[in-house]
Amino acid sequence: MTEDAYTLGIEEEYLLVDKETGNLAEAPEALMEACSSKLEGQVSPEFLQCQIEIGTTVCADIDAARSDLKHLRSTVAACAGEFGLAPIAVSCHPFADWKVQHHTDKDRYNQLAQDLGGVVRRMLICGMHVHVGIPDDEMRLDLMRQLTYFLPHLLALSASSPYWQGVDTGLASYRLTVFDNLPRTGLPPVFHSWAEYERATGTLIELGLIEDTTKIWWDLRPSHRFPTLETRICDVGPRLEHTLALAALIQCLTRMLVRLRQQNLRWRVYDRFLVNENRWRAQRYGVTEGLIDFGRGKITPVGELIDELIEILTEDAEALGCLPDLLRLREIIEGGTSSERQRGIYAGARTAGKGHDAAMRDVVAHLIEEFHADL
């Protein structure tokens, strides 16, 4: 592999809230201008006016990603604070109403609103995307087939969206129930060559249905702009260090699959029907009820699966210099996902005698606090 293999890029979407009330707030034009002047192309508006998106530069390793992401989060928080606002890194706002939000007046987003109709109006959701550099096209497709197996594990660990419009959905990641209403989402199809992938996606482009592959929103895809494999299934998380632990896991998994390939070995590619069942379990339960271990033929606790992955990936983590970050995955298992922590805050507030609305505001205050915890 060349020296630009396994480089990292992390993209995150945040919601802007009023510091006092916890309500969603639209980004003032002056806020976006302030962020843009300080972050030089690493920040942009998102589909809804209450959202803001950031992206790291190409990072050689997790330490570089940590430095860049910390700078991005700190800058956005500082700029937002000047307007009485705060960013929260969570995939669904606990109590906001999507029906009263407005989309950003930008050509791409205006076209999305026209193409997708009422479906896209519900997109009051945020995600986290991790790019890992794989310069060879054919290898990216080969790795995509194998890496798909681990997408439910990543979703389970990242789950941060239990509430929707003030209601506990019973899911750890409600975000996916919203996102999956869009076309061209979900697990990626199985392609056996780069040419096959280009023929399939090229058909939609030639018909004028999409202008390019940025309108393909699979959980895992070859990036349109970069020579990377882009993992898109994760909920965005409030804790910076947990985000970096997930990025380290994705980077290590990618290197491990390349290592197996170089030994004429590979991870078994299971039927998408089976992987989708694990995807649902991750969406519903997060890390609390286990995922199917298809090799063993039984449901296995997520903590046990993560311990096994850490053992398998230790060689790769040491080579990439991210073993402490990989080990931090155990903190998520032991302390719970963001979804579990949010429910804990809500339950504690209700036990203390607070009403539903006040308890929901406590959840948002908790998310603001967690955003700043690692900065």
Side-chain angles (χ1 to χ4, degrees):
M1 296 287 284
T2 60
E3 63 179 13
D4 52 350
Y6 315 125
T7 54
L8 283 168
I10 301 173
E11 299 167 341
E12 293 187 314
E13 298 159 348
Y14 309 139
L15 295 169
L16 293 170
V17 300
D18 183 282
K19 281 185 175 182
E20 298 300 321
T21 66
N23 294 333
L24 278 181
E26 294 184 353
E29 187 173 338
L31 167 57
M32 293 306 305
E33 290 174 354
C35 288
S36 296
S37 68
K38 294 180 179 180
L39 297 177
E40 300 179 356
Q42 288 184 264
V43 64
S44 64
E46 246 298 327
F47 178 71
L48 294 176
Q49 292 177 11
C50 58
Q51 294 174 298
I52 188 167
E53 180 180 12
I54 59 87
T56 68
T57 57
V58 178
C59 300
D61 52 32
I62 285 290
D63 284 342
R66 173 178 287 103
S67 177
D68 200 3
L69 195 56
K70 185 178 290 188
H71 172 62
L72 290 168
R73 284 191 171 210
S74 298
T75 303
V76 170
C79 291
E82 295 177 5
F83 296 86
L85 306 179
I88 57 173
V90 63
S91 280
C92 292
H93 188 281
F95 60 81
D97 186 349
W98 62 267
K99 294 185 290 297
V100 299
Q101 307 306 317
H102 302 96
H103 80 265
T104 302
D105 185 13
K106 191 176 177 182
D107 287 347
R108 173 179 172 82
Y109 298 135
N110 291 336
Q111 189 63 49
L112 274 176
Q114 179 178 328
D115 291 346
L116 300 173
V119 171
V120 78
R121 286 191 59 214
R122 297 180 65 237
M123 292 294 114
L124 185 55
I125 55 174
C126 295
M128 185 265 283
H129 307 155
V130 177
H131 294 256
V132 177
I134 297 292
D136 182 81
D137 292 342
E138 294 294 346
M139 184 176 289
R140 281 206 300 284
L141 259 292
D142 185 31
L143 297 184
M144 187 169 78
R145 290 194 298 271
Q146 299 175 68
L147 192 58
T148 295
Y149 176 87
F150 300 101
L151 294 175
H153 303 65
L154 296 168
L155 177 61
L157 290 162
S158 68
S160 73
S161 47
Y163 296 111
W164 180 251
Q165 299 194 114
V167 176
D168 189 330
T169 65
L171 275 68
S173 174
Y174 189 76
R175 160 183 155 265
L176 280 194
T177 70
V178 179
F179 195 68
D180 284 350
N181 282 286
L182 294 180
R184 303 178 293 280
T185 55
L187 298 178
V190 176
F191 297 106
H192 294 95
S193 68
W194 185 257
E196 184 182 355
Y197 164 76
E198 288 195 313
R199 281 195 301 272
T201 57
T203 297
L204 300 188
I205 295 170
E206 290 165 9
L207 291 171
L209 302 177
I210 57 175
E211 64 267 26
D212 55 47
T213 56
T214 62
K215 294 291 181 66
I216 292 172
W217 299 299
W218 299 323
D219 297 338
L220 177 66
R221 71 180 184 185
S223 171
H224 173 74
R225 294 182 296 164
F226 309 111
T228 64
L229 200 52
E230 180 185 2
T231 302
R232 302 169 48 84
I233 197 170
C234 293
D235 277 6
V236 65
R239 293 295 302 268
L240 171 67
E241 290 300 333
H242 292 173
T243 294
L244 293 166
L246 287 163
L249 174 58
I250 294 167
Q251 186 189 36
C252 289
L253 284 168
T254 305
R255 186 184 187 279
M256 179 269 289
L257 294 175
V258 172
R259 175 164 55 85
L260 290 180
R261 176 186 167 109
Q262 291 170 343
Q263 300 171 33
N264 290 318
L265 300 171
R266 59 189 299 105
W267 202 267
R268 181 173 175 181
V269 177
Y270 287 89
D271 191 284
R272 290 299 186 267
F273 171 75
L274 296 175
V275 180
N276 254 321
E277 191 64 25
N278 261 350
R279 185 181 188 267
W280 161 247
R281 291 189 62 81
Q283 182 180 348
R284 172 67 176 85
Y285 302 114
V287 300
T288 64
E289 295 294 328
L291 297 174
I292 306 166
D293 184 319
F294 296 114
R296 296 177 179 175
K298 69 174 187 177
I299 297 172
T300 304
V302 176
E304 188 176 329
L305 295 174
I306 295 306
D307 281 341
E308 289 176 353
L309 275 181
I310 289 172
E311 183 177 351
I312 293 169
L313 298 173
T314 293
E315 172 184 342
D316 305 285
E318 289 176 339
L320 295 167
C322 64
L323 184 57
D325 301 281
L326 188 68
L327 294 174
R328 196 167 286 116
L329 293 172
R330 290 175 175 147
E331 285 184 14
I332 302 176
I333 300 297
E334 294 164 5
T337 63
S338 175
S339 286
E340 293 172 74
R341 296 195 301 277
Q342 290 175 57
R343 286 182 169 128
I345 294 295
Y346 179 84
R350 293 309 301 270
T351 298
K354 294 187 177 182
H356 172 74
D357 291 349
M360 283 278 107
R361 288 193 291 272
D362 279 3
V363 173
V364 176
H366 155 78
L367 292 168
I368 294 173
E369 182 180 343
E370 282 212 327
F371 187 94
H372 291 82
D374 301 320
L375 300 184

